[in-house]
Amino acid sequence: MDGLIILDGSGRPIIQSNFRNHPPSYPLSIVDAFNDALSKTLPENRATRSVDSGDLDPVLYISSTASGPAICCHVEKGGLRFLCPASQDIDPLFIFAFLERFLSVLQEYLQDISLAVLKEHFDVVYQVLEEMLDDGKPLTTESNTLRDIVLPPSFFNKVLSVAGVSGLSNATPAPFSSPIPWRKAGVRHNKNEIYFDITEDLDAIMARNGTLLSSTIWGRIDCNSRLSGIPDLNLSFINSKAFSDPSFHACVRLQKFAQTSSLSFVPPDGNFVLMEYQVSPSAVTRGSTAMSNGGLQNQLLNFVPLILKSKIEVGEKGGSFTFTVTPRSGSEQLKHRLGVENVVLSLGLDSGAIGAFCTASFNSGGQGFGGSRDKEREERAAGVWAWEPNKKTLRWTIPSLGSPSASSTWTLKGTWTSTEQVPRPCRSIMMHFQTPHMLFSGIKVDQLRMTSEMYKPYKGVKIASKAAVEWRW
Amino acid sequence: MAFNNLAENAERLSRRIQESFQERTRDFTKSGQASYLDANDLDKTVNLSKLLDSTSEREKLDGLKRIIAMISKNRNVSAYFAQVIKNVASPNLEIRKLVYIFLLRYANVEPDLALLSINTFQKDLADSNPLIRAMALRVLSGIPVASIASIVAAAIRKCAADSSPYVRKSAALAIPKCYNLDTTHLPLLMQTLSTLLKDRSPLSIGSVAIAFNAICPDRLELLHPHYRRLCKMVADADEWGQVQLLELLTRYARKMLSRPPDVSAPEELDEANPGQASHEDHELDPDLELLLTSASPLLQSRNPAVVMAVSRTIYSLAPVKERRKFVLPLMRLLHSSKEVERVTLENLRVVAQASPEMLRPHISRLYIRSSDITQVKQVKMRILAALITPDNAQDLLREFKDYVVDTDDKLVSDAVWAIGQCALKAPDVSSSCLSALTMLIRSSNDVAVAAAVLALKSLHQCRTSLTGSLNVVASLASHFDNISHPEARACILWMVGQYARSSGQGTTPMPANLQAIEPWVPDILRKAVKSFKSDPSAVKLQALTLAAKVFVLAPSHEQSCMLARYAFSLARYDLDYDVRDRARFLSSLLAGVNGGVSSGLGSDEQEVDMQEGVILRTPQVIHVLFEGKVAPSDEGRWRSGVLDLGTASLITGVAMQDDYLRQLPDWPDEGTDSSLRDTQDDTPAPFYSQPSLKLQGFGAESIGNFSRPGSTLTTPVVLTPGDSSPSSSVPKPGLAKPHYMDLDKFFASDEEVASEDEEEVTEEELEAEPQTKSTNVATTVAPHPVSVASGGHTSTEGHDAPQPTRESDDEYTDEESDEEDAFLRRG
């Protein structure tokens, strides 16, 4: 890595690290090359219709800079672009891992990453950057250690700095005094709390005939620790056999996990990702042990509480479509009366699409609403549709499924117009939905035990699951 | 009315109050810093000097922030250099840091002025705060002035023996900087590096690996005595260090250890299945096994770069049968972000092409989503195409058929090509592949049509038996009118010509009439000639070839010959010289057939010339025109050449500078003697006695020691002897020292150190130091640059003088770092 450059929304550098071993024109040529590549993907400059604005290669090759050929890895966040050029061979994953860490540290320091916030605290950004990246090598990247040497901006610090007192010289008497690299020394909290957020994502692809082509469930445990001292925790789970191929924060003792499937760790202070895992499909077949592969697929299918039937007809300069959504009777969510929320269906239309018009309707399947007030309710239940001209996407949102009967149907009917002679809409419809209070894997936190500190910590656990299902039509 | 007035007044008043309140609190709420970056505030440069010279820390800080903001805006602020540098010894850490940032950027602009600050940094190197020591070294080594290289080298050497692993880490990172500054200091730097290699703190070892890779990447033999310890330390190093260390150790293993038993030598690797090597008899090198078992747990790291580094290690070192285990962890990365996904897939592609069986079980996870970014779609397509077998061809064919309606044209053409690949690799599904391809010819998408024609062409060429009779060509030909894509049109014309010979006739050498060609061929020629004028050059060239072929196959068919002659006369006056040239070439070739293709066009001197050359007989012409067509290989479709995992050139397809440094050498014919790696360390050391280092996770007993850091810190007597201290240079095997010194000995040794080196100040003294020191600096720096420069010089000498005796520093121990080491050891 040679350094880091932060660009604002219009492609101008606002903050950049020191490029010590390179001529001053080097970062400039990187920025130019990046802006050039970016502008080529913008809709108005598009050479072919196939490339859209999201498709800038994350690793750009820049053949001529002041220091010879280079690669430029970049990520986007909060409307800003973070570029990391490298003129020597390096694993791009190394750069992306660093960028990710840098952004999460910034997030923690500034709460929000945006142009205004960065400009407001540019001195902090400079200091953090200086500590994290020394001549292109990652130096101190643990946020707990960083907070010892660069003070996060806070109202208190501002008062201090206005009063002409530096917080750093007296606030942290002994940087690097902690025996654990990821945890600050001498942490004190009035309330001792720790929160676990377990989220699972289902990624699935549905074939035209409604069978499951591919599905993966990813899980992640975010943790926010506000515990004093050096707490040594042990977190155990129910149904932990569902964890497959996990990855851990450096604080987790791998050996313990291998032996007992429980997490034993001394947490860093603050927010961190404790663990990420995949859910092994065999572990979610609740109860029934011996199942054929087909049965397994059906089981997974039951995590998708809705069935989508779509009919899309493409004509000259436009087309028409009908989406029909019905509940899947055997699905886990409906069986256990769990709320399914934020169902979003989106269809990318062709690049020449100008507009769409549709009507959304809901048929409760017999129970029926009557009267004007119920009409309102019915309209709400049918969801809202929107046309997003920038992304050329049609989006239909059903805020909540409520408790549908087997014959309930949601329908979206409409047409769209396009400048293309033969429009080519996206070949699949994306369906997103959330099920709070449920995990696909059936994993539950069993108990949290703490040794080495005297107090009793408060433990909070929140679970939620999301799904992104691609329906091909 | 009156009421209205009153209300208006009240409103105005309240706005006023609010404004003034905002004015007053602005400093608190916003402190107005954002404007530093925004405003075009050249007028403020006037008071900038005042701010920097101010005695108030707050104003200084404000001034420095403005300066940094101006640097950000690429303004030249070198005019303030002297004023900024003056603050380098400020007791306020924040001010110092901003000065450091400034200094590092401007030192090469004003090298002479930058030298003024060196004095301060040398003092800071002895500061009690490890943060200040490390920062001083970082800035010192960052000043790009070659004349101070010797000072920097000496400072690095001093810091390499520091008690804080953080400072030692900075020392390691400073080595490459110093080396870049002046390569003549290599011997000293190497010496420092070998001291650092002995470092037992996992915090600094990663940076040592960086330094090693930077200054002496080829001196792998230096690692012999450290190899085993480094392997065991990998799990405890910080994430970035793990990546560097794994890379170094992998290179070492490839150079020094013997090949795993089931990996055959490279020359066999190409054709033979690597699993069936002849080395079944001998075992996996235990040192290699050590590296692999130490690295494997890191597959569970949260850091994608570490996972990739371990994968690379396993992929390039492990026996074939054990390689599989990195596949799932790599797949896990696909979920993290689209950037990581894109890079990881490129690596999986290498795996897919080299050993497809490793990925086949997970194939459904590589199916292409319509929401993937273009680059991801392309790589996934390559992977899927590499994984086709007769078993999964059915499923993949169904997938590919879905992809041909994608909105991404590149994916469409790749998918069509892949359908052709299915037909080649899985004869069972070839008929459905063929029907899919012929369906595609009627598609409304040009790209799909062109790709389908090309796929059919290469299929037809590779396996004529597969496409059976001529009906593929015939059906393609029947769509000639509807196809507008130039490449597809050219391709159809070529195929019509190439397969024009009537199937009934087989290999009849001398066709004499229309029966020799398929009945529909002349019609295609007619169409080609008709649209000749408007077709692009690529189509024109193929039209000429078709004309020539028809001419030679059916010389007696009057209409065809006239069409051919017409085509040649059109081509003769074409705008494109390639077309004219081709026409001339073909008509020369055909000169001996049926009176030549140019006859009847009026004789010119060209025809006279031709009479003098060699004239081929018809069979010869047929041979020239039809034979020797090599079926196209699809290798060139995508740049291939299996590259190494985890490199940038894998993504860009272009070699980077200095990439040879990362390239792995081939296995040696014979590994080096393992006794080279035997060290005293192998005999169980107090902290390394537990063999279960391969799994990280520190035991409960070790945590017990450190749950009360205060209590351990306040018992200074519990010092480990110099032997096992992190900075001890040479382990002294003979002396079985006790683990704990008694108090008298401790003080005795302390005195020794103090007497040997005056600069070594005890911690307590240093606590009181900063105040006095800062005043010293304030008096020395600034008003008279000349005197300061000389002062700096003398101090440099003063610093250099005690150097030779500094070996004794190795006895210096520190409970803090030891404690930390022990804590990290997750045995």
Side-chain angles (χ1 to χ4, degrees):
Chain A
M1 260 190 292
D2 294 335
L4 191 139
I5 309 169
I6 305 178
L7 300 185
D8 66 8
S10 54
R12 271 176 310 154
I14 47 170
I15 290 176
Q16 66 184 47
S17 70
N18 192 19
F19 289 85
R20 182 175 164 274
N21 295 322
H22 298 274
S25 61
Y26 176 69
L28 296 178
S29 55
I30 296 284
V31 170
D32 284 348
F34 172 80
N35 282 328
D36 194 39
L38 183 64
S39 71
K40 276 185 193 145
T41 64
L42 294 178
E44 57 266 27
N45 306 342
R46 227 181 274 162
T48 59
R49 57 181 171 180
S50 61
V51 187
D52 54 56
S53 54
D55 288 5
L56 181 62
D57 196 331
V59 185
L60 295 173
Y61 177 72
I62 299 167
S63 55
S64 58
T65 68
S67 310
I71 58 164
C72 173
C73 297
H74 56 91
V75 295
E76 190 268 333
K77 179 127 191 208
L80 303 167
R81 297 274 182 173
F82 298 79
L83 316 187
C84 251
S87 54
Q88 297 193 332
D89 200 305
I90 181 174
D91 183 3
L93 280 183
F94 190 84
I95 301 182
F96 285 124
F98 175 78
L99 277 172
E100 197 182 314
R101 187 65 51 82
F102 178 69
L103 287 176
S104 75
V105 167
L106 270 196
Q107 180 89 43
E108 202 166 315
Y109 265 81
L110 309 177
Q111 268 71 52
D112 178 35
I113 296 179
S114 70
L115 185 60
V117 174
L118 243 64
K119 278 190 168 174
E120 172 69 30
H121 300 294
F122 71 94
D123 55 320
V124 175
V125 179
Y126 265 107
Q127 289 184 46
V128 169
L129 188 55
E130 203 68 29
E131 291 299 335
M132 289 185 75
L133 199 60
D134 177 39
D135 202 24
K137 317 284 188 312
L139 189 63
T140 309
T141 56
E142 283 298 341
S143 79
N144 268 249
T145 321
L146 274 171
R147 270 186 278 163
D148 274 350
I149 48 184
V150 180
L151 281 190
S154 66
F155 184 72
F156 179 66
N157 288 337
K158 267 180 202 153
V159 175
L160 282 181
S161 75
V162 168
V165 180
S166 162
L168 199 56
S169 46
N170 34 23
T172 54
F176 313 115
S177 61
S178 166
I180 314 172
W182 58 85
R183 189 172 173 86
K184 277 167 85 132
V187 181
R188 283 279 163 260
H189 290 285
N190 287 336
K191 279 185 191 165
N192 287 298
E193 313 161 308
I194 184 161
Y195 296 96
F196 299 96
D197 276 11
I198 312 180
T199 43
E200 286 183 357
D201 285 356
L202 168 70
D203 260 0
I205 303 178
M206 294 282 186
R208 262 170 233 172
N209 58 9
T211 54
L212 205 55
L213 285 179
S214 151
S215 67
T216 329
I217 301 172
W218 316 84
R220 166 186 169 117
I221 305 180
D222 289 286
C223 184
N224 184 5
S225 155
R226 331 264 318 140
L227 300 176
S228 311
I230 301 187
D232 196 348
L233 304 173
N234 189 12
L235 185 67
S236 56
F237 298 93
I238 293 170
N239 198 27
S240 59
K241 68 178 194 306
F243 290 134
S244 101
D245 184 36
S247 70
F248 302 100
H249 188 273
C251 65
V252 177
R253 300 182 182 96
L254 298 180
Q255 206 170 13
K256 269 277 177 53
F257 182 81
Q259 287 161 0
T260 63
S261 299
S262 63
L263 301 179
S264 158
F265 59 102
V266 176
D269 193 45
N271 288 305
F272 65 102
V273 180
L274 180 61
M275 171 186 191
E276 286 179 294
Y277 58 91
Q278 292 172 39
V279 176
S280 60
S282 55
V284 298
T285 57
R286 312 227 157 110
S288 43
T289 45
M291 262 197 167
S292 67
N293 199 31
L296 199 63
Q297 291 284 311
N298 285 334
Q299 186 77 25
L300 286 171
L301 212 50
N302 280 339
F303 288 129
V304 182
L306 298 169
I307 297 171
L308 171 69
K309 290 220 165 61
S310 60
K311 196 170 152 206
I312 301 178
E313 275 169 9
V314 179
E316 241 174 60
K317 302 205 172 240
S320 65
F321 50 85
T322 312
F323 304 143
T324 316
V325 174
T326 49
R328 187 191 303 274
S329 52
S331 72
E332 292 286 330
Q333 287 95 332
L334 298 181
K335 218 168 20 184
H336 299 108
R337 300 196 169 276
L338 293 162
V340 178
E341 292 174 2
N342 281 331
V343 182
V344 179
L345 278 89
S346 49
L347 172 67
L349 296 177
D350 59 299
S351 53
I354 335 171
F357 182 77
C358 353
T359 44
S361 60
F362 171 61
N363 180 356
S364 64
Q367 297 157 17
F369 301 120
S372 64
R373 210 170 144 246
D374 287 342
K375 185 141 183 76
E376 243 172 65
R377 265 173 60 199
E378 191 178 331
E379 268 170 23
R380 211 166 45 236
V384 286
W385 66 274
W387 160 244
E388 296 177 355
N390 297 335
K391 293 182 185 162
K392 306 279 182 202
T393 302
L394 187 72
R395 192 177 294 272
W396 179 28
T397 311
I398 305 171
S400 168
L401 284 194
S403 45
S405 71
S407 52
S408 303
T409 46
W410 289 262
T411 318
L412 186 75
K413 251 185 149 129
T415 55
W416 86 93
T417 49
S418 166
T419 53
E420 303 252 334
Q421 190 62 36
V422 189
R424 232 175 348 139
C426 184
R427 66 188 157 89
S428 57
I429 301 158
M430 283 306 294
M431 178 195 273
H432 293 265
F433 61 85
Q434 296 168 1
T435 316
H437 318 302
M438 184 195 104
L439 290 179
F440 298 118
S441 59
I443 287 169
K444 284 195 185 88
V445 169
D446 186 18
Q447 61 166 338
L448 178 74
R449 273 182 292 120
M450 183 167 80
T451 49
S452 80
E453 293 287 334
M454 297 312 289
Y455 58 87
K456 175 113 180 87
Y458 170 78
K459 167 194 76 171
V461 180
K462 200 167 89 185
I463 60 170
S465 53
K466 286 185 296 188
V469 185
E470 177 177 315
W471 298 78
R472 295 189 179 160
W473 53 274
Chain B
M1 279 305 259
F3 176 73
N4 265 356
N5 259 341
L6 196 66
E8 208 173 288
N9 276 340
E11 196 189 318
R12 216 178 282 160
L13 184 69
S14 78
R15 212 182 301 143
R16 225 13 203 297
I17 292 171
Q18 204 181 336
E19 269 168 19
S20 95
F21 181 73
Q22 277 171 352
E23 190 74 13
R24 272 157 207 253
T25 53
R26 202 168 55 109
D27 270 359
F28 289 100
T29 53
K30 217 171 169 256
S31 64
Q33 284 188 18
S35 64
Y36 292 4
L37 273 183
D38 276 334
N40 222 344
D41 46 358
L42 280 170
D43 54 321
K44 284 188 181 162
T45 52
V46 184
N47 42 20
L48 203 48
S49 334
K50 208 187 272 174
L51 285 174
L52 290 172
D53 286 337
S54 157
T55 45
S56 146
E57 286 202 346
R58 179 193 160 195
E59 284 181 3
K60 273 187 192 171
L61 204 55
D62 192 43
L64 282 169
K65 281 180 184 171
R66 283 173 197 275
I67 292 261
I68 301 289
M70 287 169 80
I71 293 179
S72 247
K73 286 186 288 188
N74 277 327
R75 235 19 107 54
N76 186 1
V77 288
S78 49
Y80 301 101
F81 199 92
Q83 282 168 305
V84 174
I85 292 300
K86 221 167 45 180
N87 292 314
V88 76
S90 163
N92 183 325
L93 263 184
E94 211 172 346
I95 290 184
R96 270 202 202 192
K97 280 190 185 166
L98 294 180
V99 174
Y100 290 168
I101 292 173
F102 176 87
L103 189 60
L104 285 175
R105 275 163 208 247
Y106 273 86
N108 50 355
V109 182
E110 302 270 352
D112 294 336
L113 283 173
L115 292 178
L116 297 185
S117 56
I118 286 176
N119 212 354
T120 318
F121 294 125
Q122 292 204 309
K123 282 213 181 72
D124 283 354
L125 286 176
D127 197 283
S128 64
N129 188 337
L131 178 61
I132 293 191
R133 293 201 295 273
M135 282 205 307
L137 183 66
R138 269 167 58 202
V139 180
L140 195 59
S141 57
I143 296 175
V145 181
S147 57
I148 61 161
S150 59
I151 301 176
V152 177
I156 293 173
R157 192 183 144 96
K158 178 179 162 141
C159 289
D162 198 279
S163 58
S164 160
Y166 180 74
V167 179
R168 296 199 297 273
K169 184 176 177 176
S170 303
L173 286 177
I175 288 178
K177 295 192 218 168
C178 182
Y179 179 67
N180 288 340
L181 212 56
D182 187 351
T183 48
T184 55
H185 291 286
L186 187 62
L188 180 60
L189 291 175
M190 291 285 288
Q191 207 184 330
T192 315
L193 186 64
S194 54
T195 316
L196 283 166
L197 268 173
K198 291 169 193 139
D199 201 323
R200 284 173 186 278
S201 165
L203 280 183
S204 51
I205 202 71
S207 308
V208 178
I210 293 177
F212 193 96
N213 282 329
I215 70 168
C216 52
D218 302 326
R219 304 281 311 272
L220 290 169
E221 71 278 3
L222 293 177
L223 294 179
H224 285 320
H226 307 293
Y227 173 80
R228 287 177 193 156
R229 186 170 44 85
L230 291 181
C231 283
K232 290 172 190 166
M233 276 169 84
V234 163
D236 292 332
D238 69 304
E239 301 155 272
W240 318 106
Q242 286 171 346
V243 175
Q244 301 287 346
L245 210 51
L246 281 172
E247 182 164 334
L248 184 61
L249 291 173
T250 305
R251 222 148 29 84
Y252 177 90
R254 275 296 267 268
K255 186 99 183 276
M256 300 292 180
L257 303 180
S258 50
R259 189 190 302 276
D262 62 350
V263 176
S264 46
E267 59 269 19
E268 306 161 39
L269 203 64
D270 291 334
E271 59 267 20
N273 182 358
Q276 306 162 338
S278 54
H279 311 273
E280 296 291 343
D281 47 340
H282 63 87
E283 294 272 299
L284 185 60
D285 189 325
D287 282 326
L288 186 57
E289 199 175 1
L290 173 68
L291 175 57
L292 291 171
T293 46
S294 324
S296 298
L298 296 180
L299 284 172
Q300 298 182 329
S301 168
R302 61 173 166 163
N303 189 323
V306 177
V307 177
M308 182 55 75
V310 184
S311 303
R312 186 172 189 250
T313 301
I314 295 177
Y315 186 70
S316 36
L317 298 181
V320 176
K321 57 181 187 299
E322 284 173 28
R323 287 191 189 167
R324 203 172 284 269
K325 64 180 166 193
F326 71 83
V327 171
L328 268 178
L330 268 193
M331 291 245 174
R332 184 183 70 228
L333 301 186
L334 299 182
H335 190 61
S336 46
S337 72
K338 70 173 199 282
E339 290 86 13
V340 172
E341 180 183 25
R342 190 244 181 285
V343 177
T344 310
L345 278 169
E346 204 75 57
N347 288 285
L348 283 173
R349 193 257 305 162
V350 173
V351 178
Q353 286 169 345
S355 29
E357 69 286 346
M358 278 164 62
L359 290 186
R360 283 209 185 96
H362 314 291
I363 196 164
S364 73
R365 296 175 58 174
L366 295 163
Y367 285 169
I368 300 172
R369 298 167 153 266
S370 55
S371 49
D372 286 336
I373 60 169
T374 310
Q375 292 81 12
V376 166
K377 285 177 176 172
Q378 283 180 33
V379 190
K380 278 186 173 175
M381 197 66 230
R382 280 179 86 167
I383 298 177
L384 290 178
L387 299 182
I388 302 172
T389 62
D391 291 337
N392 60 22
Q394 195 77 46
D395 290 342
L396 284 178
L397 176 61
R398 190 206 56 231
E399 278 296 304
F400 296 153
K401 280 197 213 157
D402 278 349
Y403 301 156
V404 298
V405 292
D406 198 89
T407 47
D408 188 332
D409 282 339
K410 184 78 181 83
L411 178 63
V412 170
S413 84
D414 286 351
V416 175
W417 169 83
I419 291 178
Q421 291 294 300
C422 274
L424 281 180
K425 290 186 181 170
D428 291 354
V429 296
S430 62
S431 61
S432 37
C433 292
L434 272 182
S435 62
L437 288 176
T438 17
M439 284 284 284
L440 280 169
I441 290 174
R442 282 187 277 275
S443 156
S444 60
N445 182 0
D446 272 0
V447 179
V449 174
V453 170
L454 292 178
L456 281 171
K457 187 201 87 174
S458 52
L459 268 184
H460 200 74
Q461 276 183 290
C462 294
R463 301 247 181 106
T464 324
S465 61
L466 209 136
T467 47
S469 61
L470 282 178
N471 57 22
V472 170
V473 183
S475 75
L476 274 179
S478 66
H479 287 95
F480 184 71
D481 284 341
N482 307 329
I483 294 171
S484 57
H485 198 281
E487 212 179 332
R489 280 175 79 87
C491 182
I492 291 179
L493 289 180
W494 182 86
M495 281 180 84
V496 168
Q498 186 67 22
Y499 302 103
R501 272 183 281 192
S502 171
S503 51
Q505 299 257 344
T507 52
T508 312
M510 270 295 272
N513 51 22
L514 187 58
Q515 259 67 59
I517 54 174
E518 292 289 333
W520 39 265
V521 172
D523 193 44
I524 300 298
L525 179 59
R526 179 186 66 81
K527 287 173 178 168
V529 170
K530 196 175 149 198
S531 62
F532 192 85
K533 224 174 83 190
S534 56
D535 273 326
S537 298
V539 183
K540 284 177 180 167
L541 292 175
Q542 290 308 325
L544 283 177
T545 311
L546 171 65
K549 283 172 176 169
V550 170
F551 189 80
V552 74
L553 286 180
S556 60
H557 188 248
E558 208 43 50
Q559 278 167 312
S560 303
C561 293
M562 281 170 71
L563 281 169
R565 288 197 173 107
Y566 181 51
F568 275 95
S569 55
L570 282 175
R572 201 164 167 182
Y573 301 105
D574 198 84
L575 284 174
D576 188 335
Y577 55 78
D578 272 347
V579 175
R580 296 199 299 272
D581 198 42
R582 178 73 59 89
R584 218 169 288 134
F585 157 68
L586 286 172
S587 59
S588 308
L589 189 66
L590 296 172
V593 181
N594 199 16
V597 76
S598 313
S599 66
L601 296 176
S603 61
D604 48 13
E605 66 269 57
Q606 201 184 352
E607 226 172 310
V608 179
D609 286 346
M610 286 196 307
Q611 302 299 330
E612 293 167 5
V614 179
I615 295 171
L616 299 179
R617 283 172 292 113
T618 307
Q620 289 171 321
V621 174
I622 290 181
H623 187 83
V624 170
L625 280 177
F626 288 90
E627 301 306 320
K629 306 284 187 247
V630 184
S633 87
D634 283 305
E635 292 302 315
R637 182 176 182 85
W638 285 310
R639 33 158 232 270
S640 75
V642 174
L643 291 149
D644 203 359
L645 290 188
T647 56
S649 28
L650 179 66
I651 314 298
T652 60
V654 193
M656 302 288 290
Q657 299 173 43
D658 297 336
D659 61 344
Y660 66 92
L661 289 179
R662 296 199 62 210
Q663 271 166 17
L664 293 174
D666 270 331
W667 289 104
D669 293 333
E670 211 154 293
T672 49
D673 191 356
S674 85
S675 64
L676 282 171
R677 289 175 284 278
D678 287 341
T679 54
Q680 298 303 325
D681 289 350
D682 291 346
T683 52
F687 285 116
Y688 283 98
S689 52
Q690 285 137 317
S692 55
L693 262 167
K694 51 189 165 180
L695 287 177
Q696 69 184 114
F698 32 91
E701 41 322 318
S702 60
I703 198 108
N705 290 337
F706 303 104
S707 53
R708 304 170 306 280
S711 60
T712 40
L713 281 173
T714 49
T715 50
V717 200
V718 193
L719 280 179
T720 41
D723 220 12
S724 56
S725 83
S727 49
S728 76
S729 56
V730 189
K732 299 178 189 101
L735 301 166
K737 280 199 178 180
H739 291 312
Y740 303 110
M741 256 186 228
D742 64 85
L743 197 55
D744 292 340
K745 264 191 193 162
F746 167 66
F747 283 125
S749 65
D750 199 23
E751 275 166 27
E752 268 170 41
V753 172
S755 62
E756 274 166 13
D757 187 351
E758 291 170 27
E759 284 200 6
E760 202 56 57
V761 198
T762 57
E763 300 279 317
E764 291 76 19
E765 280 172 286
L766 279 169
E767 293 289 309
E769 194 74 352
Q771 285 305 330
T772 55
K773 191 175 50 185
S774 63
T775 51
N776 281 344
V777 174
T779 53
T780 46
V781 189
H784 310 292
V786 186
S787 71
V788 174
S790 64
H793 190 59
T794 46
S795 126
T796 313
E797 281 176 357
H799 179 77
D800 272 349
Q803 283 304 315
T805 60
R806 304 248 328 148
E807 263 74 39
S808 56
D809 272 357
D810 294 336
E811 293 294 324
Y812 184 86
T813 59
D814 182 275
E815 71 271 39
E816 168 193 313
S817 56
D818 269 353
E819 173 181 65
E820 170 187 278
D821 291 352
F823 195 90
L824 280 165
R825 250 163 242 139
R826 303 150 173 176

